[in-house]
Amino acid sequence: MNTQFRKTLPGSHLDYFDVRAAVDAIAPGAYDTLPYTSRVLAENLVRRCDPATLTESLKQFIERKRDLDFPWFPARVVCHDILGQTALVDLAGLRDAIAQQGGDPAQVNPVVPTQLIVDHSLAVERGGFDPEAFEKNRAIEDRRNEDRFHFINWTKKAFKNVDVIPPGNGIMHQINLEKMSPVIQVRDGVAFPDTCVGTDSHTPHVDALGVIAIGVGGLEAESVMLGRASWMRLPESVGVELTGKLQPGITATDMVLALTEFLRKQKVVGAWLEFFGEGASALTLGDRATISNMAPEYGATAAMFYIDQQTIDYLKLTGREDEQVQLVENYAKQVGLWADSLKGAQYERGLTFDLSSVVRNMAGPSNPHARVATSDLAAKGISGQWEDVPGQMPDGAVIIAAITSCTNTSNPRNVIAAGLLARNANKLGLARKPWVKSSLAPGSKTVALYLDEAGLTDELEQLGFGVVAFACTTCNGMSGALDPVIQQEIIDRDLYATAVLSGNRNFDGRIHPYAKQAFLASPPLVVAYAIAGTIRFDIERMCWAWSMARKSA
């Protein structure tokens, strides 16, 4: 850690690094023009960079140059169990090598705090219509992964700087958002921005909090664990101004599918996006997280939001300590990471998206950016006529309807909407079609708590959307086996069967081998399609149910 530009943070007993002074010493007034991500990366340089190269590295941000690699030292590493386990196996092997040479193996530990969440190993073998689905799926997961889980439990005790969250608690992204990220770190008496790399492409989920978090491969994560810098050149910085506000009845899923289509067309692959404007400031953290989470689908490396009052309200809502919440606000305002301080930020490219233009959307049948308005399903040939033969599945049968963990269950409004639709459907005597394997896999236990408190758990269970896991499931291709009778009918009739899920990805063959195509949709639409039973159903005819749910909200 450097000493130049280290000062006392006003209103606290902590120090911080005055990045504004460092940047403006090179080019007076330049700091106020820097984007949010450049300010955070510049702080990292001022605090950690070799003083001999600091000035030239900072000039990359000031002059928007890309002719010099500069170091980035993330504050944390976040891993799911698949790639995280691989990295820890490597460290265990290194311990063996050290012991063979007569050294102390206990000295081999991650240098950077590492958080491993066991969330990628559960398959939905039992659907949400089974009252014991959660317990049965967890038992199967434990049996299949006995050796892996034994090793992971050992690492929790054997390694320093490793925190393990065991299976059955949620996914890395939502736990990162709700609990793990402090937004502002404190180490050795110094406050600085939280940053992290994660072994999953959807690590940018926590960008919604103003935390630079990007997905990397296992080897790069392992390198960061060992305290090495992640070297980079100045990324392309794109400012995305959000204007207007969502129309009544439009969900965050509708919004993010429209944004994904828009941003893919704008060719933002590899860019670091920053969302701002009146539309962005009015979005809840849940809505922001839905946007940030789908960064890989529109191709961006990061999808940032500024720190503002919405950030503070969310930190309080999720139980962060009062002292930590106060530090986040104080630090952000002092160093220019608070939204009001970024009005002069200049971007290499600027885009504008009107939230009021968003309609009810789905994506499919094969790609997350292939948006289709539900009002256009018939014109696109997705909905249409089908023959209803008693005792047979229809053409376009929805064999999987899954409310999945990653994008949407970080967003309470989306899940509550699904619960309200379920409640109204139950009142009208509607039911899930028997060939639909339905499931609800929240990203954390928080979802189950607020559904219970809202009185909607029983309503969802009645329609077959009981909690099957707190894990990454259907979206990751872990949708489990179908009923053998249903599977055989699909084979015998060469049936066009489909899946509808509230996740990120719907590539052909990803969701289930017997679901020929898959569609992304909001949680309430997932419930609606479980009732309809076929993708051929014109879902707009069912939107009276959604309207009723909204009026009940």
Side-chain angles (χ1 to χ4, degrees), residues 391-415:
Q392 286 189 351
M393 285 188 288
D395 179 50
V398 175
I399 57 172
I400 292 172
I403 301 175
T404 60
S405 58
C406 201
T407 303
N408 288 299
T409 58
S410 62
N411 193 316
R413 291 184 180 183
N414 279 5
V415 182

Side-chain angles (χ1 to χ4, degrees), residues 362 382-383 395-398 496 498 500 519 529 533-537:
M362 296 171 61
I382 295 171
S383 66
D395 179 50
V398 175
Y496 172 61
T498 63
V500 180
F519 295 82
Y529 272 107
T534 173
I535 202 70
R536 298 301 189 199
F537 188 89

Side-chain angles (χ1 to χ4, degrees), residues 1 9 47 75 91 104 145 159 201 211 256 283 356 365 369 378 385 413 433 498 511 526 528 550:
M1 188 180 296
L9 181 66
R47 182 165 41 88
L91 291 185
D104 181 4
N145 295 275
F159 288 106
S201 60
V211 175
V256 78
L283 293 176
S356 68
H369 58 275
Q385 296 297 318
R413 291 184 180 183
K433 293 296 186 291
T498 63
I511 305 307
V526 172
R550 181 167 55 83

Side-chain angles (χ1 to χ4, degrees), residues 492-511:
D492 292 343
R493 294 176 54 207
D494 192 22
L495 190 68
Y496 172 61
T498 63
V500 180
L501 65 150
S502 66
N504 303 82
R505 292 176 176 170
N506 55 333
F507 311 130
D508 288 350
R510 180 183 177 93
I511 305 307

Side-chain angles (χ1 to χ4, degrees), residues 126-163:
R126 300 292 185 269
F129 40 81
D130 184 340
E132 298 179 347
F134 179 85
E135 292 78 11
K136 291 177 179 177
N137 287 328
R138 278 286 299 112
I140 294 169
E141 180 187 23
D142 281 342
R143 185 178 71 247
R144 289 173 172 171
N145 295 275
E146 182 178 2
D147 290 342
R148 293 180 61 245
F149 288 175
H150 178 76
F151 172 77
I152 290 171
N153 287 331
W154 173 80
T155 65
K156 179 169 57 176
K157 299 175 182 178
F159 288 106
K160 297 177 182 178
N161 268 345
V162 174
D163 183 22

Side-chain angles (χ1 to χ4, degrees), residues 126-440:
R126 300 292 185 269
F129 40 81
D130 184 340
E132 298 179 347
F134 179 85
E135 292 78 11
K136 291 177 179 177
N137 287 328
R138 278 286 299 112
I140 294 169
E141 180 187 23
D142 281 342
R143 185 178 71 247
R144 289 173 172 171
N145 295 275
E146 182 178 2
D147 290 342
R148 293 180 61 245
F149 288 175
H150 178 76
F151 172 77
I152 290 171
N153 287 331
W154 173 80
T155 65
K156 179 169 57 176
K157 299 175 182 178
F159 288 106
K160 297 177 182 178
N161 268 345
V162 174
D163 183 22
V164 175
I165 296 178
N169 285 283
I171 66 167
M172 59 184 285
H173 312 303
Q174 191 164 344
I175 294 175
N176 200 6
L177 189 77
E178 291 178 351
K179 179 181 179 181
M180 294 193 306
S181 175
V183 183
I184 301 301
Q185 292 269 1
V186 176
R187 288 184 201 159
D188 300 322
V190 175
F192 58 93
D194 183 35
T195 54
C196 76
V197 293
T199 58
D200 188 279
S201 60
H202 295 107
T203 300
H205 192 75
V206 78
D207 290 357
L209 283 176
V211 175
I212 292 181
I214 62 174
V216 298
L219 288 177
E220 185 170 353
E222 190 172 337
S223 177
V224 172
M225 278 184 200
L226 296 173
R228 297 176 179 174
S230 177
W231 289 85
M232 65 169 71
R233 295 199 178 190
L234 182 68
E236 181 189 12
S237 182
V238 179
V240 184
E241 182 180 9
L242 300 181
T243 63
K245 63 179 181 179
L246 297 177
Q247 300 177 44
I250 299 302
T251 69
T253 310
D254 300 320
M255 171 185 64
V256 78
L257 293 178
L259 263 171
T260 299
E261 178 191 49
F262 169 75
L263 292 170
R264 290 276 296 200
K265 290 179 179 178
Q266 298 300 321
K267 302 186 186 305
V268 297
V269 173
W272 292 40
L273 307 187
E274 296 184 15
F275 294 90
F276 64 94
E278 292 185 4
S281 64
L283 293 176
T284 66
L285 246 295
D287 290 346
R288 295 178 185 184
T290 302
I291 293 173
S292 294
N293 183 272
M294 286 195 78
E297 280 64 50
Y298 45 81
T301 298
M304 305 297 300
F305 285 84
Y306 304 156
I307 297 174
D308 62 6
Q309 191 58 45
Q310 294 276 17
T311 317
I312 299 303
D313 292 345
Y314 183 81
L315 294 177
K316 292 178 180 178
L317 178 67
T318 49
R320 266 71 162 197
E321 297 291 336
D322 290 342
E323 184 179 357
Q324 180 64 31
V325 176
Q326 184 178 357
L327 172 63
V328 171
E329 183 171 354
N330 182 22
Y331 183 92
K333 289 180 175 179
Q334 177 65 32
V335 305
L337 299 183
W338 191 261
D340 292 347
S341 306
L342 284 133
K343 293 178 180 178
Q346 297 175 6
Y347 297 96
E348 295 174 69
R349 272 201 291 159
L351 304 174
T352 302
F353 184 85
D354 182 4
L355 295 176
S356 68
S357 68
V358 178
V359 298
R360 189 163 25 249
N361 291 315
M362 296 171 61
S366 299
N367 290 300
H369 58 275
R371 182 191 68 88
V372 56
T374 55
S375 59
D376 293 337
L377 288 171
K380 297 284 187 180
I382 295 171
S383 66
Q385 296 297 318
W386 75 92
E387 186 178 359
D388 193 357
V389 179
Q392 286 189 351
M393 285 188 288
D395 179 50
V398 175
I399 57 172
I400 292 172
I403 301 175
T404 60
S405 58
C406 201
T407 303
N408 288 299
T409 58
S410 62
N411 193 316
R413 291 184 180 183
N414 279 5
V415 182
I416 292 294
L420 293 173
L421 193 146
R423 185 182 70 183
N424 289 315
N426 291 331
K427 286 180 181 178
L428 295 168
L430 301 175
R432 168 189 61 88
K433 293 296 186 291
W435 55 81
V436 180
K437 185 176 183 179
S438 51
S439 61
L440 167 60

Side-chain angles (χ1 to χ4, degrees), residues 33-50:
T33 69
L34 295 184
Y36 184 97
T37 50
S38 291
R39 298 183 188 195
V40 175
L41 292 173
E43 189 280 340
N44 199 276
L45 285 172
V46 173
R47 182 165 41 88
R48 297 291 304 274
C49 181
D50 182 344

